[in-house]
Amino acid sequence: MPRSAPARAPITSPAAATVFTTVLTQGPVSRVDVARRTGLSSAAVTKAARPFIEAGYLEELASAGRTAPGAGRPASPLAIRPDREYFIGVKITGDDLIGVVTDLRAQIRVARHHALTSHEAPHVVAALTDLVGELLGSRAPDGATNFRDRAYCLGVAVSGDVDRDSGLVRYSPFLGWRDVPLAELLEDATGLATTLENDVKALTVAEQWFGEGVGASSFALVTVGTGIGSALVLDGRLVGGAHGVAGEVGHVPVAAMGPDSPRCHCGGTGCVEAIASTEAIVASARRVAADPALTMDDAVSRARAGDEPLRHVFATAGHAIGLGLGALANLFGPERIVVSGEGVAAYDLFEDQIRRTFAEQAFGSAVRCGLVIRPLPFEEWARGAAAVAVQSLFVSDRL
């Protein structure tokens, strides 16, 4: 069972949650601005903020003085005290575990990598528990505080079909798991309240609260790498859909159906992932280069050096991604789409084709959707898991 967490953030009402979230994601911000942005009265903001200040989660910064004659008492902006509580985030991959400790703003304070030598659930739980123990035993940046003293929550991100509410990994193709109650197993092993989430959705939470999604009512995140993942935020809420798989652009068919259409591990044909994942790109590159030992790094190097057949492989992948992004923009109309992931490290071979295809495929005003394309360090996946743990402060049974 999770160990007790005394004097945690007093989020006990929707108004308290709204005020705290606003300061967390947009602060420092004055009470007047919090009221303006949330629709709460100034009195309600002051009432909601007081317990957070007393509990050490918020602080009042020094006033910058009046901004105009007759403006009244100078505003003292509210700001998060990021070191008031720490959070553990772990990303599970097929080869290793990436773990981080973050503060309340999901800023990474410590990062660790552990090799994963087996995909058997008991082994993964044991290895992850060891990693958590190492992270908790690290020292905070001030050198005096042990993270263990202020960390109560663990967020875990894993690829596949994940039921966050029950903490169940329903299906993870890279781990070969079906119906593994991972959150329960980890809570028993670590003593930390554990929140489990699909890795792309976890990364999207970090973007929504602390990255490109701040201030956007709607955006999409698409990751390119071992798979093609995606998640959607609409009207400020992460969209799971009735079955938890909403927005899976990687499994949108974009190739003509037929005997030569590439097969996808999902059972479909012509999916974006079957054309643009790392495995698909390497397979295509090996065929055109007539080199069965060709690696992704080799393909990237040769394409950058001007190998036209290999450049075409990457352009084909970029075209498939652009078609998927166009479908997202046409169906959901997000303000922006963030394209990231380890596969985007070769963005120079993808980007032009992605943008051209997207511009051709997006319908009408959907073409105005902003595209942000950037690589993603693996630690950011773990940071996303930690951001999900930060959300545990807002669990519904406390409101």
Side-chain angles (χ1 to χ4, degrees):
M1 294 295 292
R3 60 191 176 93
S4 61
R8 296 191 68 204
I11 302 174
T12 56
S13 70
T18 297
V19 170
F20 190 72
T21 304
T22 302
V23 180
L24 178 67
T25 60
Q26 302 176 40
V29 59
S30 70
R31 288 177 173 82
V32 172
D33 282 338
V34 172
R36 178 177 56 80
R37 296 176 193 184
T38 64
L40 295 170
S41 68
S42 295
V45 171
T46 296
K47 180 180 178 180
R50 186 178 299 114
F52 292 109
I53 296 172
E54 293 172 351
Y57 281 86
L58 296 183
E59 63 179 338
E60 291 183 291
L61 301 181
S63 171
R66 296 178 179 176
T67 58
R73 184 170 61 90
S76 297
L78 294 171
I80 289 288
R81 293 183 63 187
D83 293 343
R84 174 59 178 80
E85 186 170 339
Y86 295 106
F87 299 83
I88 309 296
V90 178
K91 157 70 171 170
I92 303 174
T93 77
D95 300 317
D96 60 357
L97 303 173
I98 302 104
V100 298
V101 179
T102 76
D103 60 23
L104 267 165
R105 287 194 177 277
Q107 296 302 303
I108 296 173
R109 300 307 185 90
V110 174
R112 298 283 189 273
H113 287 227
H114 278 198
L116 193 61
T117 58
S118 169
H119 291 172
E120 294 295 324
H123 176 86
V124 174
V125 169
L128 201 152
T129 301
D130 288 344
L131 174 58
V132 168
E134 181 180 332
L135 290 165
L136 288 174
S138 303
R139 286 285 174 180
D142 60 13
T145 304
N146 190 300
F147 288 122
R148 193 182 303 275
D149 299 334
R150 298 186 193 170
Y152 310 101
C153 298
L154 166 66
V156 178
V158 61
S159 174
D161 184 359
V162 173
D163 185 344
R164 176 170 174 170
D165 291 338
S166 68
L168 188 72
V169 180
R170 290 187 291 218
Y171 173 54
S172 180
F174 302 112
L175 295 173
W177 286 3
R178 287 191 182 275
D179 297 328
V180 175
L182 187 59
E184 179 183 353
L185 294 172
L186 289 171
E187 285 194 351
D188 290 342
T190 66
L192 300 178
T194 301
T195 305
L196 183 66
E197 184 59 279
N198 167 272
D199 54 355
V200 179
K201 288 184 171 64
L203 192 61
T204 303
V205 169
E207 288 289 345
Q208 180 185 12
W209 282 26
F210 307 109
E212 292 287 344
V214 173
S217 64
S218 63
F219 74 97
L221 176 74
V222 176
T223 58
V224 178
T226 303
I228 306 294
S230 58
L232 302 169
V233 171
L234 296 177
D235 294 327
R237 302 179 68 88
L238 185 64
V239 178
H243 307 290
V245 293
E248 283 288 353
V249 70
H251 299 288
V252 171
V254 294
M257 305 299 288
D260 297 327
S261 186
R263 299 286 300 180
C264 183
H265 69 82
C266 72
T269 58
C271 298
V272 176
E273 188 164 308
I275 300 168
S277 68
T278 299
E279 180 181 353
I281 291 172
V282 170
S284 295
R286 287 173 175 174
R287 283 196 302 271
V288 302
D291 181 356
L294 191 73
T295 67
M296 183 65 163
D297 289 343
D298 294 336
V300 169
S301 296
R302 288 172 57 174
R304 285 174 174 163
D307 187 314
E308 286 302 324
L310 287 176
R311 291 184 67 85
H312 180 71
V313 168
F314 284 98
T316 298
H319 179 67
I321 295 168
L323 290 173
L325 300 183
L328 273 181
N330 292 342
L331 285 170
F332 301 104
E335 293 179 38
R336 66 190 67 124
I337 299 175
V338 181
V339 184
S340 194
E342 66 275 15
V344 185
Y347 72 94
D348 53 305
L349 299 172
F350 287 109
E351 184 169 10
D352 287 348
Q353 188 62 59
I354 289 174
R355 292 188 181 279
R356 280 200 302 272
T357 301
F358 175 78
E360 294 167 357
Q361 190 69 16
F363 174 74
S365 295
V367 76
R368 295 164 56 190
C369 171
L371 285 185
V372 179
I373 302 176
R374 65 161 188 259
L376 178 73
F378 262 112
E379 288 79 9
E380 289 296 306
W381 291 101
R383 178 177 178 256
V388 169
V390 173
Q391 282 191 324
S392 69
L393 292 171
F394 300 83
V395 291
S396 59
D397 60 4
R398 299 175 67 196
L399 303 183

